[in-house]
Amino acid sequence: MKQRIVTGIIAAIVFLTLLYLGSYWFTGLIVITSLVGFYEYVKMNKLNPFSLTSFVGYLGVGLLCLPWTLTAISVISSSTNLIWLLLFVLLCITVLSKNKVTIDHISTLFLGVVYIGIGFHYMIETRMMEQNGLFWTLLIFFCIWATDSGAYFTGSQFGKTPLWPTISPKKSIEGSVGGIIISVVVAICFSLLHSELLSWKQAIVIGVIIAVVGQMGDLIQSAYKRIKGIKDTGTILPGHGGVLDRVDSWLIVFPMVQILALLPHA
């Protein structure tokens, strides 16, 4: 527990500092984190993380992470173009390798690139919003963290009814509800700090959606790890596991918040 707390404090200080600085600082952090996450994903699927095919995946993740409008190359100026080009290259590898690299192999890599690349991309996009990017990014992160903490402590004290025992036996419905309530409380606090940006009604909606979607992101990762027979995706964060263990909710919440246009006055 001591190691877990020390790691968490150090990671939080570094992360929040670079988040505050924004610009290339936060972008660089997210891109590096995404590449480490993809490495864990490849290893988790028992593939060679240093093969040519995997390097195509790293390139795809890196490109998907970056704000697409910043590139001067029009053909990769949108997610649709990037995703299709990546798929084309991976499919070509199956032909050029004479099926030594199989369709199953590239399907796994392709899923990982889109899942990780798009998820991290929207973290950068949110922080780089022209108006109040730091506020909205902090709102989302704090609601995610509040959900995790609220679900854990509420579940520990009052959890009796399993939420989804075949996927994550320790999670309870009581804990899930507690996570949602704490997320809403945190969102309302943000509303009280800047009511001109976020009304209390909008805060409730955002708090609920982030909590529900975030918990689903956690369950998605749990389902994947259960199939692979592993507890953690990596060991880079002592006491916390790997990158993907820490960002499972982030990867789902940030795209969903942007897709649903939940950020008022954004």
Side-chain angles (χ1 to χ4, degrees):
M1 180 59 71
K2 181 179 178 181
Q3 184 184 53
R4 183 181 178 88
I5 292 173
V6 171
T7 302
I9 292 173
I10 294 173
I13 292 173
V14 173
F15 182 81
L16 290 173
T17 299
L18 295 178
L19 172 60
Y20 174 77
L21 293 173
S23 187
Y24 295 107
W25 294 98
F26 185 64
T27 298
L29 172 66
I30 292 301
V31 171
I32 291 170
T33 304
S34 72
L35 296 176
V36 174
F38 186 71
Y39 170 83
E40 293 176 354
Y41 176 86
V42 174
K43 290 280 287 184
M44 181 170 59
N45 284 282
K46 296 180 171 57
L47 299 174
N48 181 1
F50 303 110
S51 67
L52 174 61
T53 315
S54 293
F55 277 112
V56 172
Y58 291 120
L59 179 61
V61 168
L63 289 174
L64 276 177
C65 266
L66 296 174
W68 305 309
T69 54
L70 293 184
T71 178
I73 307 174
S74 59
V75 74
I76 59 171
S77 61
S78 75
S79 60
T80 304
N81 291 349
L82 276 171
I83 290 170
W84 190 90
L85 283 172
L86 173 68
L87 179 62
F88 173 70
V89 171
L90 289 173
L91 288 171
C92 285
I93 290 175
T94 65
V95 175
L96 297 174
S97 69
K98 299 179 181 179
N99 267 338
K100 289 181 180 178
V101 177
T102 67
I103 188 71
D104 293 337
H105 182 165
I106 68 154
S107 297
T108 299
L109 288 177
F110 181 71
L111 173 64
V113 170
V114 175
Y115 169 56
I116 295 169
I118 295 291
F120 278 112
H121 167 84
Y122 278 108
M123 296 176 208
I124 297 174
E125 283 283 345
T126 304
R127 178 61 184 90
M128 293 185 66
M129 286 167 52
E130 291 185 5
Q131 296 183 4
N132 308 298
L134 179 61
F135 175 83
W136 300 121
T137 308
L138 286 174
L139 167 66
I140 296 171
F141 274 126
F142 273 80
C143 283
I144 291 173
W145 295 331
T147 301
D148 291 343
S149 299
Y152 176 77
F153 288 110
T154 305
S156 298
Q157 293 295 318
F158 309 105
K160 294 181 179 179
T161 312
L163 176 64
W164 214 286
T166 56
I167 298 298
S168 188
K170 294 183 179 180
K171 288 183 172 60
S172 66
I173 291 177
E174 292 83 0
S176 177
V177 173
I180 294 172
I181 292 172
I182 300 302
S183 174
V184 169
V185 169
V186 168
I188 290 175
C189 289
F190 270 79
S191 173
L192 293 174
L193 287 172
H194 288 284
S195 58
E196 76 282 5
L197 298 177
L198 183 66
S199 72
W200 66 268
K201 292 181 180 179
Q202 292 165 327
I204 291 174
V205 172
I206 289 175
V208 170
I209 290 178
I210 289 177
V212 172
V213 173
Q215 291 184 69
M216 180 55 71
D218 186 280
L219 288 170
I220 288 170
Q221 191 70 251
S222 295
Y224 208 99
K225 289 190 289 188
R226 183 164 290 273
I227 287 295
K228 296 300 176 181
I230 59 175
K231 183 179 183 296
D232 297 317
T233 60
T235 58
I236 193 171
L237 299 170
H240 291 266
V243 164
L244 293 182
D245 293 311
R246 295 301 93 206
V247 304
D248 46 13
S249 300
W250 309 5
L251 293 173
I252 301 299
V253 169
F254 273 88
M256 189 63 73
V257 166
Q258 290 281 4
I259 290 168
L260 296 179
L262 293 178
L263 306 184
H265 312 301

